[in-house]
Amino acid sequence: MMVVLMESSWMPANMRRLLLLLLGLLLLQQSRCFEFVIDGEWEEETSDIQDHRERHKRAILTSEEQEDFEAIRGDDITVKSYKMESRITSRFAHTTVKSSVVNSGSKAQSIGFNVQIPKRAFITNFTMNVNGITFVGSVKEKTVARNLYAQARARGKAAGIVRANSQDMETFKTEVHVPPGSNIEFELHYQEMMHRKLSFYEHSLYLQPGRLVPQFQVDVYIYEPKGISMVETPNTLGTQFAELIRVTSSKDKAHIVFKPNLQQQRKCDNCTGSAIDGVFTVRYDVNRDSNAGELQVSDGHFVQFIAPSNLSPLPKNIVFVIDVSGSMWGVKMKQTVEAMQAILNDLTIDDHFSIIDFNHNVRCWSEELVPGSSIQIADAKKYIQNIKPNGGTNINEALMRAVQILVRASNQGLIDPRSVSMIILVSDGDPTVGEIKLSTIQKNVKRVMREEFSLFSLGIGFDVDYDFLERIAMENRGMAQRIYANHDAAEQLRTFYSQVSSPLLRRITVQFPEDSVSDITQNRFDKYFSGSELVVAGKVLPSDTNTLTSFTTASAATLDITLETEADTLELDTELAKQQHSFTGFARQMWAYITIKQLISERSLAPTAAKKRKITQRILSLAVEHQFVTPLTAMLVESEDASERLLADSPKDPKHGCCSAGGVGGGAGGGSASAGLAPVRVVYQPPPWVQMTTPAPPSHAVKGPEDQLTLPQQVNLVDNDPHFIVHLPRSNMDVCFNIDSKPGHILNLVSDSGTGVVVNGQLTGSKRALKSKLSTYFGIISIYYQPDGVSVTISTDSIAMTDGRNNHSFTWRSTAEITQDGLRISIVKNSHVSVTINNNIQVMVLLHRAWKKHPVNVDFLGIYIPNDNQYSPLVRGLIGQFSREPEISVYDVHQGADPLKKEATMEVKGNKLLVTRGWQKDYRRDKRRGSNVYCWFIHNSGKGFIDGHYTDYIVPNLNSFLQTL
């Protein structure tokens, strides 16, 4: 094509500039390598420029291209500004990249704008202003966008995404041909969900301007409604910039800014090149009130985050399956061996493992699972060290043998039913020996894998078919990760193992009351790993109430857990409106983001073409509605009058199918998904432990047990400082006494060597003495069940449970139910805890909160014990002894010194006691004022009414039985 521009003296200067601009836009780069999707399969558009096809076949930056990467590319240009801003709200990030550039040269030239973005992010918008002509982006179905693009007769692809040869990034590229003196402004937007790994979230921004920039600035704003527990910026850009990164944070907000001036950007004092070249990283974590998780509602959508801690890890059964074919020779094998040495060191005696190495043959270090003892680990290390890679790759046979080892151990009863069984496959290539058809291998693995087994796949380098590894992992309740074959491959392997080495929960389900939510994302998960996070999102349906409730059930090492979470449906939107730098649409976009990612994963596993088409339509609809550039959509960038059009679409990763994606909310961020399980929609019935006072309409049918305390109306109790009330059913009488002891003393309340139950309480003191008297209260209550070795320790801060090997901790800030064999613990948020042993012994502990700034009062506990507890005849203790009700008589009732309190004589246990009629408080129904319990008060710390002296009931430890009097 030849274009001739004739300059005339009558043509105005602005007209000449406009014509030059239009000429530049017509002379866009000539590359014609288009890709489009037909029912999910990627193809190249037929082109008459055949010799370009191979050039664009692998959309990967070479290492040289990677090193030569520049954010703004041009020969003689001035970059006036380059700014990046991220707004992270509740783990969802919206990032904007802006740059202003001038063509300072004397000739027309192509100016490029390149941005490396996280691979898990979705581009949401791109705009470009060239000398006042604005190009605006809109997401459309890929075929629609390309048809419109073709209609405009554009000469080449001016915007696009190619995979960068880096671990977590891909590159957005655009280029525009402009005349001299032109001003160009670029602006790119993308969104992503933060994934929690190893107990923190990490946000990365790639900074490589390639030149000095007068206005260079990076801002990261974080807003987390529950508060930020930690924020840091690792020194990833170099020591010279460490002091230039400013972090300011408050309880729930943080602002990280990096704003070097021109001199600070230089490689040296007199250098003209920029030293800014690397990844700007922000790490943070949030406050968590409880193991129940965090439920947030905004803009008609909800998001629940679940990241429990303070639980003992589940034991593991692991079969490591390691590729030792010839292609693993050298650095790959060296790094794998180095990683395995460290991984084996992490195993405990409660874990069981074996190792399979394979090339064209399959070898087992041990045909049986063996415990992770020091002897076995040393032998396994020696075996690994002596591996010499050679031969082909028989993946199918290796995986079949791995499953056989787990099945045999399970059939022989060697696997703890609460343990986690997993296969970890490490390979760098496609199968070349035995069964080599990938779809057949996938079916074979699916057929033999049991529901309780998981498969994790690690693909080393780019020669492996990562799409295949990801499919077999997702289909078998695991996840996949690419390991980059470089000097830190061993660290990548160790990091991956760290993410899955500490499973805390199994079979997690998140449920909601009927007619309260819809369109929920995956809400059943096979496992939860320590340091990660599970995420469930959905739409909130209109309701008469402003409260949304969820129930999470799961199995821990020795426990079954039910956790209740509540959220005000209006509160967060009110808070977001006050925040200057928050992302107000986060919940809506996060729901769409998670849904699309999960649909993309489902699509890759779709069993039929019809199912795949249905999922495809759902992805297209959501992506267009929420303006996400996905593998099935493209962004059409056009001028305001639609006369000029550019196209940006999402690429195919080499050896990675277009439409597969790591699990969201489970696989990638929190644990492994329950493959093949449809989401549980909602439940109408609340868990059985939720007590209902009266029948309620469905919208209120899950009100928790705080409405009604299930103990009988009349009980034995110790509350306040500490006042004892003993109920005597036969006499229909209540008797009261106080114990005046010292802070730190542990008083035995129930000691039953026959049933093995002990209830003890430790005293705490008020902040200071009042009228020369220091009041004491129960600060800790311990319930110990000796037959199972289980101890429940309740303090004003937490509820801890241990069986000698496993330790679990819960807070007062959420409602929960925990069961282990015959023990059940029911926690009602900020109210009380009920502990039931074998359905015949029950203890309830009531929480009292004091104003934190009160000069005297402290938080304390009250304890309530019913009379119908079924102790053995051996029971003793300040409360337990009265399960054998003594003969008692009260007579000679007369006016006392206090006219409001009568006095009398009480005969009990051979003693005659002067008693006073009064009242104490039962705080079960009104924790602030209490309700009066009228009783006969025994003076002198219960002397004459209790067996012996009160000091006889002081024990050395919280789990101590009472010694013989």
Side-chain angles (χ1 to χ4, degrees):
M1 179 183 70
M2 178 179 293
V3 178
V4 180
L5 177 64
M6 300 183 65
E7 186 172 339
S8 173
S9 59
W10 58 264
M11 185 179 293
N14 60 346
M15 181 65 74
R16 289 199 300 272
R17 283 197 297 271
L18 179 58
L19 285 174
L20 281 169
L21 172 61
L22 292 175
L23 172 63
L25 291 172
L26 286 170
L27 294 175
L28 290 170
Q29 64 187 95
Q30 298 299 306
S31 166
R32 288 178 60 99
C33 178
F34 298 139
E35 295 176 321
F36 63 91
V37 174
I38 299 177
D39 197 21
E41 299 302 323
W42 291 79
E43 298 180 3
E44 292 175 333
E45 188 175 18
T46 304
S47 172
D48 54 351
I49 310 179
Q50 294 293 327
D51 56 335
H52 282 198
R53 179 173 294 175
E54 287 301 313
R55 178 183 165 198
H56 293 281
K57 190 172 182 180
R58 266 176 87 89
I60 287 192
L61 294 180
T62 65
S63 58
E64 291 79 10
E65 289 171 327
Q66 185 73 29
E67 292 173 3
D68 199 33
F69 179 90
E70 289 181 319
I72 308 297
R73 186 176 291 276
D75 293 332
D76 191 2
I77 61 174
T78 301
V79 180
K80 295 193 294 185
S81 66
Y82 191 86
K83 297 181 179 181
M84 300 186 78
E85 179 186 283
S86 289
R87 298 188 179 195
I88 304 173
T89 298
S90 295
R91 292 79 141 176
F92 198 73
H94 182 111
T95 300
T96 305
V97 187
K98 296 180 180 180
S99 185
S100 179
V101 187
V102 176
N103 181 5
S104 307
S106 58
K107 298 179 181 179
Q109 64 168 314
S110 293
I111 295 177
F113 174 67
N114 309 320
V115 181
Q116 292 213 35
I117 67 174
K119 286 182 178 178
R120 63 174 178 254
F122 285 147
I123 289 175
T124 57
N125 200 5
F126 173 68
T127 60
M128 182 170 64
N129 187 295
V130 185
N131 292 335
I133 298 178
T134 301
F135 292 79
V136 181
S138 62
V139 175
K140 301 181 184 297
E141 183 180 341
K142 194 177 289 276
T143 53
V144 172
R146 284 183 172 157
N147 286 338
L148 290 169
Y149 181 56
Q151 290 169 17
R153 298 177 182 271
R155 297 301 304 169
K157 182 189 260 186
I161 307 169
V162 298
R163 293 288 181 185
N165 191 12
S166 63
Q167 283 185 229
D168 303 307
M169 297 289 181
E170 65 186 15
T171 306
F172 171 88
K173 284 190 167 188
T174 185
E175 198 168 86
V176 60
H177 196 85
V178 294
S182 296
N183 289 277
I184 309 101
E185 293 179 356
F186 301 101
E187 183 171 322
L188 179 72
H189 298 254
Y190 62 87
Q191 295 176 359
E192 61 179 316
M193 186 176 84
M194 300 291 96
H195 290 262
R196 188 169 184 258
K197 295 181 179 179
L198 304 176
S199 300
F200 58 81
Y201 308 95
E202 186 169 279
H203 183 60
S204 299
L205 299 173
Y206 196 88
L207 307 181
Q208 199 169 21
R211 64 193 70 237
L212 300 176
V213 181
Q215 298 179 45
F216 185 94
Q217 184 166 342
V218 177
D219 290 283
V220 177
Y221 298 95
I222 305 172
Y223 173 64
E224 290 289 347
K226 287 291 185 181
I228 299 170
S229 63
M230 173 276 289
V231 60
E232 64 181 19
T233 54
N235 186 19
T236 52
L237 284 176
T239 54
Q240 75 179 87
F241 297 117
E243 300 299 319
L244 301 181
I245 300 173
R246 299 280 183 262
V247 180
T248 57
S249 61
S250 60
K251 176 187 173 184
D252 53 9
K253 291 185 285 292
H255 178 208
I256 302 91
V257 62
F258 176 51
K259 190 179 179 182
N261 59 36
L262 278 173
Q263 188 60 32
Q264 292 166 336
Q265 294 174 41
R266 299 180 190 275
K267 289 183 178 179
C268 62
D269 288 344
N270 299 318
C271 294
T272 58
S274 173
I276 301 174
D277 182 4
V279 179
F280 181 82
T281 302
V282 176
R283 290 177 183 164
Y284 78 97
D285 202 12
V286 302
N287 294 324
R288 289 176 176 82
D289 285 345
S290 70
N291 282 336
E294 181 181 350
L295 182 60
Q296 298 182 6
V297 180
S298 174
D299 193 22
H301 293 72
F302 76 86
V303 184
Q304 173 142 7
F305 305 98
I306 304 167
S309 57
N310 301 319
L311 299 170
S312 290
L314 298 160
K316 304 183 294 293
N317 314 297
I318 308 178
V319 181
F320 298 98
V321 182
I322 302 172
D323 184 346
V324 296
S325 60
S327 59
M328 286 286 289
W329 183 267
V331 173
K332 291 180 185 176
M333 197 69 240
K334 181 181 177 182
Q335 296 281 311
T336 301
V337 169
E338 181 184 330
M340 283 300 300
Q341 302 283 329
I343 288 169
L344 290 170
N345 281 336
D346 185 70
L347 296 174
T348 70
I349 193 65
D350 291 327
D351 298 323
H352 290 76
F353 76 105
S354 186
I355 299 170
I356 292 175
D357 61 299
F358 69 96
N359 43 31
H360 51 283
N361 295 316
V362 176
R363 297 190 308 166
C364 296
W365 166 70
S366 170
E367 294 284 352
E368 309 288 340
L369 288 178
V370 299
S373 65
S374 56
I375 295 175
Q376 300 286 9
I377 288 172
D379 187 61
K381 285 182 177 180
K382 186 177 179 181
Y383 179 84
I384 291 285
Q385 194 70 46
N386 292 328
I387 290 175
K388 297 293 187 289
N390 67 86
T393 306
N394 192 347
I395 291 178
N396 184 77
E397 182 62 26
L399 290 175
M400 294 300 103
R401 292 280 288 277
V403 176
Q404 287 171 11
I405 290 176
L406 291 177
V407 169
R408 188 161 53 246
S410 180
N411 290 343
Q412 293 172 354
L414 302 178
I415 290 181
D416 183 336
R418 285 184 176 267
S419 64
V420 169
S421 298
M422 61 179 81
I423 296 168
I424 297 181
L425 169 66
V426 181
S427 180
D428 77 331
D430 292 344
T432 60
V433 178
E435 180 57 65
I436 62 173
K437 190 176 181 182
L438 299 182
S439 60
T440 302
I441 297 174
Q442 183 178 339
K443 290 176 184 176
N444 290 343
V445 174
K446 176 68 174 175
R447 175 174 48 83
V448 298
M449 284 283 282
R450 291 188 177 178
E451 187 179 336
E452 63 267 29
F453 302 161
S454 296
L455 172 61
F456 296 87
S457 304
L458 298 173
I460 300 181
F462 283 94
D463 293 324
V464 66
D465 192 315
Y466 184 75
D467 183 30
F468 162 69
L469 293 183
E470 189 168 51
R471 282 200 311 272
I472 62 170
M474 289 191 302
E475 196 170 40
N476 294 285
R477 297 160 295 282
M479 57 183 173
Q481 183 165 314
R482 191 189 293 280
I483 302 297
Y484 295 83
N486 52 30
H487 64 281
D488 73 339
E491 180 60 29
Q492 295 174 56
L493 287 165
R494 286 195 297 268
T495 299
F496 175 85
Y497 178 75
S498 296
Q499 294 173 41
V500 301
S501 64
S502 187
L504 298 186
L505 295 175
R506 299 169 60 245
R507 299 182 179 178
I508 306 102
T509 301
V510 183
Q511 299 172 296
F512 298 84
E514 187 179 44
D515 298 329
S516 64
V517 298
S518 68
D519 298 280
I520 60 174
T521 60
Q522 176 189 335
N523 64 337
R524 281 201 280 180
F525 305 92
D526 190 63
K527 299 174 187 67
Y528 164 76
F529 297 102
S530 178
S532 62
E533 186 170 65
L534 303 178
V535 184
V536 180
K539 296 180 179 179
V540 180
L541 296 176
S543 172
D544 296 335
T545 177
N546 292 335
T547 300
L548 179 64
T549 305
S550 73
F551 295 100
T552 302
T553 59
S555 294
T558 55
L559 313 173
D560 290 321
I561 303 170
T562 300
L563 305 167
E564 181 184 334
T565 313
E566 288 186 343
D568 188 301
T569 57
L570 304 177
E571 185 178 30
L572 183 54
D573 281 334
T574 303
E575 285 301 313
L576 288 172
K578 302 175 185 176
Q579 307 301 323
Q580 183 179 358
H581 298 289
S582 67
F583 176 30
T584 54
F586 86 92
R588 180 177 180 271
Q589 290 299 95
M590 184 181 283
W591 167 78
Y593 177 97
I594 296 172
T595 301
I596 291 172
K597 290 283 187 180
Q598 290 178 357
L599 285 171
I600 288 173
S601 296
E602 288 179 30
R603 187 179 185 276
S604 69
L605 300 174
T608 65
K611 177 71 171 174
K612 181 176 284 190
R613 283 193 295 271
K614 186 175 181 181
I615 296 172
T616 299
Q617 288 306 312
R618 176 82 171 128
I619 295 171
L620 290 172
S621 174
L622 283 172
V624 171
E625 179 184 354
H626 293 267
Q627 292 293 286
F628 286 145
V629 177
T630 71
L632 299 177
T633 52
M635 178 170 288
L636 188 70
V637 185
E638 56 187 348
S639 58
E640 291 172 339
D641 61 358
S643 61
E644 300 293 339
R645 287 177 175 147
L646 314 174
L647 187 69
D649 59 17
S650 187
K652 174 183 179 180
D653 192 12
K655 291 274 188 171
H656 188 303
C658 73
C659 299
S660 55
V664 174
S672 54
S674 292
L677 294 179
V680 177
R681 188 177 64 85
V682 286
V683 291
Y684 171 66
Q685 295 84 4
W689 50 274
V690 177
Q691 301 295 318
M692 303 308 302
T693 53
T694 57
S699 59
H700 302 287
V702 287
K703 192 63 178 174
E706 65 269 25
D707 292 339
Q708 174 179 317
L709 306 188
T710 57
L711 294 182
Q713 183 176 352
Q714 293 176 309
V715 296
N716 304 304
L717 67 92
V718 189
D719 215 323
N720 218 313
D721 61 343
H723 301 312
F724 285 70
I725 303 177
V726 176
H727 179 66
L728 303 173
R730 284 208 320 266
S731 306
N732 193 24
M733 180 187 301
D734 291 292
V735 179
C736 305
F737 59 92
N738 296 342
I739 295 290
D740 294 319
S741 194
K742 298 179 180 178
H745 280 178
I746 301 172
L747 299 179
N748 175 257
L749 305 176
V750 176
S751 178
D752 187 0
S753 58
T755 60
V757 173
V758 173
V759 182
N760 291 324
Q762 185 170 33
L763 296 172
T764 186
S766 56
K767 293 176 183 176
R768 62 181 177 84
L770 195 62
K771 296 182 180 179
S772 301
K773 182 180 183 297
L774 185 70
S775 297
T776 56
Y777 310 85
F778 280 132
I780 299 176
I781 299 292
S782 173
I783 299 110
Y784 177 55
Y785 184 49
Q786 189 183 46
D788 290 347
V790 178
S791 176
V792 180
T793 304
I794 303 165
S795 70
T796 55
D797 295 323
S798 64
I799 300 96
M801 179 180 178
T802 179
D803 59 8
R805 297 183 67 182
N806 299 294
N807 301 294
H808 310 280
S809 180
F810 302 87
T811 77
W812 284 99
R813 291 185 287 272
S814 66
T815 296
E817 167 132 325
I818 304 103
T819 59
Q820 176 174 326
D821 300 325
L823 184 73
R824 184 172 75 251
I825 305 170
S826 296
I827 306 169
V828 174
K829 180 180 178 181
N830 293 326
S831 176
H832 63 275
V833 174
S834 293
V835 179
T836 305
I837 300 172
N838 293 331
N839 291 322
N840 56 25
I841 295 177
Q842 187 176 12
V843 177
M844 194 192 80
V845 178
L846 197 65
L847 175 66
H848 294 272
R849 291 289 190 210
W851 180 42
K852 291 186 182 298
K853 296 182 180 180
H854 196 284
V856 177
N857 295 348
V858 294
D859 295 346
F860 65 94
L861 304 171
I863 184 166
Y864 295 74
I865 302 175
N867 288 89
D868 58 0
N869 278 353
Q870 297 176 26
Y871 305 117
S872 80
L874 302 176
V875 65
R876 297 162 54 218
L878 287 168
I879 296 293
Q881 63 185 288
F882 295 103
S883 68
R884 300 179 299 275
E885 184 173 330
E887 294 295 330
I888 190 167
S889 64
V890 176
Y891 56 90
D892 189 22
V893 178
H894 57 275
Q895 194 70 39
D898 185 340
L900 298 177
K901 297 181 180 178
K902 295 179 184 280
E903 293 181 349
T905 300
M906 176 184 289
E907 285 193 15
V908 58
K909 298 182 180 180
N911 302 309
K912 289 186 178 180
L913 309 175
L914 177 66
V915 294
T916 303
R917 190 66 173 170
W919 62 88
Q920 298 292 2
K921 296 287 188 180
D922 181 332
Y923 291 95
R924 285 178 293 170
R925 282 165 178 76
D926 186 342
K927 284 205 292 184
R928 195 160 66 93
R929 293 181 294 270
S931 55
N932 292 337
V933 177
Y934 291 91
C935 59
W936 290 106
F937 184 78
I938 312 289
H939 302 275
N940 300 321
S941 296
K943 184 177 180 180
F945 180 65
I946 62 174
D947 295 334
H949 192 269
Y950 86 88
T951 55
D952 298 330
Y953 298 88
I954 298 174
V955 293
N957 301 302
L958 283 169
N959 292 346
S960 296
F961 282 83
L962 197 60
Q963 299 300 310
T964 303
L965 290 174

